[in-house]
Each structure stands twice: as structure tokens, then as C-alpha cells.
């Protein structure tokens, strides 16, 4: 709900989205705005270790491949779909505000951009591009919250496209 509330209340042409458990690993200057020269670019996301995105191999546009499943076998369709994120990024303000209007507050905001969780939002973002900012093909932002999660034995669990935090969970598997 926080992402939806924050994005909907912006008024600027561009919106910088950064949560308190992320830190920059290098200086980020005005060059980060250059991808917006392409009017289809709606988001410039900052490369993080968690993204596992290889700019040299995949390019700067963050896209996932589409597949059909036939009898449990994944068959490539040779089409791609843009991947948008609520991780650190700069958004076109109008794009962010429209995404906020379409978000379902009962679901994790990031999960709504793909995999059929929020079809109306998926249709809206499908016309836009998401650019991964990584001048040196290395992460430019670090998620320090993950270290805290490990230290406190907290983990994020996704159920029905909603996020839950679990603490003190041990491995329940039995032999």
C-alpha cells in the first residue's frame, strides 16, 4: 500500500523511488536521466545484485522472455515483456501515478507488473520500456535490508501475490 500511496501523491515530471534500506554504491549523476530521451522509457531502474541482469549480454532494456507451456514443457514464443520494479528507480511521474491508480493494495506492488497478477496494470505497462542503469555492468545500489533480515532471521514470503514477513522460522522438513 505504501508504494501505491507514495506514487499516487507525486506531482513531478520524474519521481525518484528509493527506500531506506538501499544505498548507492557509486555517485549517480545526470546521465541516469538520458534514457528518458526515448519517450517509451517509463522507468530507469538501478542495477542491484538481486536483479542478476547482465547488461553486456541482455542490453539495458529489462525484459523477460515469454514461453508457452505445453504438457509441462516450456516452449519459447520469441516475444518479450518489459519488467518493471518497485526497487530503486526513477519513473516518469505520469507513468508512476497511473500505475498507482491501477494497483491492487491487497497485493505486493512489484508482483502486479507481471505473471497475470494484475492484468489491467500489465496491459498498461506493456507499451513502455524499463531501462536498467548500469554504466559498468555492475550493481549501483545495494540492499542493506537483506543483511538485517539474515541477522534477525526474518524472511519475506509471497503467498497469492501478497508479501508476508516471517520470523524465527526454522526448517520444518523432516527426514
Amino acid at each position: 500500500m505504501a508504494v501505491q500511496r507514495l506514487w499516487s501523491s507525486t506531482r513531478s515530471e520524474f519521481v525518484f523511488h528509493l527506500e531506506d534500506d538501499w544505498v548507492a554504491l557509486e555517485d549517480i549523476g545526470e546521465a541516469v536521466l538520458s534514457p528518458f530521451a526515448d519517450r517509451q522509457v517509463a522507468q530507469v531502474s538501478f542495477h542491484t545484485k538481486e536483479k542478476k541482469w547482465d547488461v553486456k549480454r541482455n542490453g539495458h532494456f529489462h525484459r523477460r522472455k515469454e514461453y508457452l507451456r505445453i504438457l509441462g514443457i516450456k516452449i519459447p514464443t520469441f516475444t518479450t515483456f518489459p519488467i518493471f520494479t518497485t526497487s530503486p528507480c526513477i519513473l516518469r511521474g505520469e507513468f508512476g501515478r497511473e500505475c498507482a491508480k491501477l494497483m491492487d493494495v491487497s497485493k505486493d506492488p512489484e508482483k502486479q507488473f507481471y505473471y497475470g497478477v494484475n492484468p489491467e496494470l500489465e496491459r498498461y505497462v506493456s507499451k513502455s520500456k524499463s531501462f536498467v542503469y548500469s554504466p559498468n555492468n555492475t550493481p549501483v545500489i545495494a540492499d542493506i535490508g537483506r543483511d538485517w533480515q539474515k541477522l534477525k532471521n526474518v524472511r519475506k514470503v509471497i503467498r497469492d501475490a501478497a508479501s508476508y514477513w516471517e520470523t524465527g522460522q526454522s526448517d520444518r522438513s523432516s527426514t
Side-chain angles (χ1 to χ4, degrees):
M1 186 156 84
V3 170
Q4 190 250 4
R5 186 177 334 125
L6 289 170
W7 288 10
S8 67
S9 66
T10 64
R11 306 247 183 290
S12 300
E13 181 179 359
F14 296 101
V15 175
F16 180 49
H17 176 86
L18 181 73
E19 296 171 20
D20 62 354
D21 61 346
W22 295 88
V23 295
L25 299 173
E26 61 184 65
D27 287 340
I28 300 171
E30 288 184 35
V32 73
L33 297 173
S34 61
F36 288 113
D38 177 345
R39 290 294 303 160
Q40 281 190 293
V41 172
Q43 179 179 67
V44 174
S45 64
F46 298 104
H47 189 335
T48 65
K49 179 177 69 173
E50 294 76 25
K51 263 191 190 85
K52 298 179 181 125
W53 190 256
D54 185 342
V55 171
K56 287 181 183 170
R57 193 177 85 212
N58 301 318
H60 283 279
F61 292 107
H62 203 195
R63 300 185 68 77
R64 69 173 162 82
K65 295 176 182 171
E66 294 283 307
Y67 295 90
L68 286 175
R69 283 199 181 270
I70 300 176
L71 300 172
I73 300 169
K74 281 175 44 173
I75 300 171
T77 64
F78 304 104
T79 59
T80 60
F81 188 85
I83 298 174
F84 288 92
T85 183
T86 59
S87 295
C89 66
I90 298 175
L91 301 156
R92 285 191 188 277
E94 181 180 326
F95 176 82
R97 288 184 290 276
E98 189 60 32
C99 288
K101 284 182 199 172
L102 297 172
M103 285 181 183
D104 176 346
V105 295
S106 71
K107 307 288 184 193
D108 184 305
E110 184 146 342
K111 307 306 178 247
Q112 296 182 54
F113 286 105
Y114 39 83
Y115 300 129
V117 173
N118 185 332
E120 191 175 358
L121 181 58
E122 280 187 54
R123 276 190 297 281
Y124 175 71
V125 304
S126 70
K127 301 171 240 148
S128 300
K129 294 179 182 177
S130 176
F131 185 94
V132 177
Y133 180 76
S134 180
N136 302 309
N137 197 30
T138 58
V140 294
I141 297 282
D143 180 352
I144 61 172
R146 293 185 187 246
D147 294 334
W148 179 88
Q149 287 175 11
K150 286 178 190 170
L151 181 68
K152 300 294 185 182
N153 197 22
V154 173
R155 63 188 187 117
K156 183 178 183 178
V157 177
I158 310 293
R159 286 189 207 103
D160 191 28
S163 297
Y164 300 91
W165 297 97
E166 293 184 352
T167 58
Q169 299 294 322
S170 61
D171 184 7
R172 294 182 193 169
S173 60
S174 58
T175 54

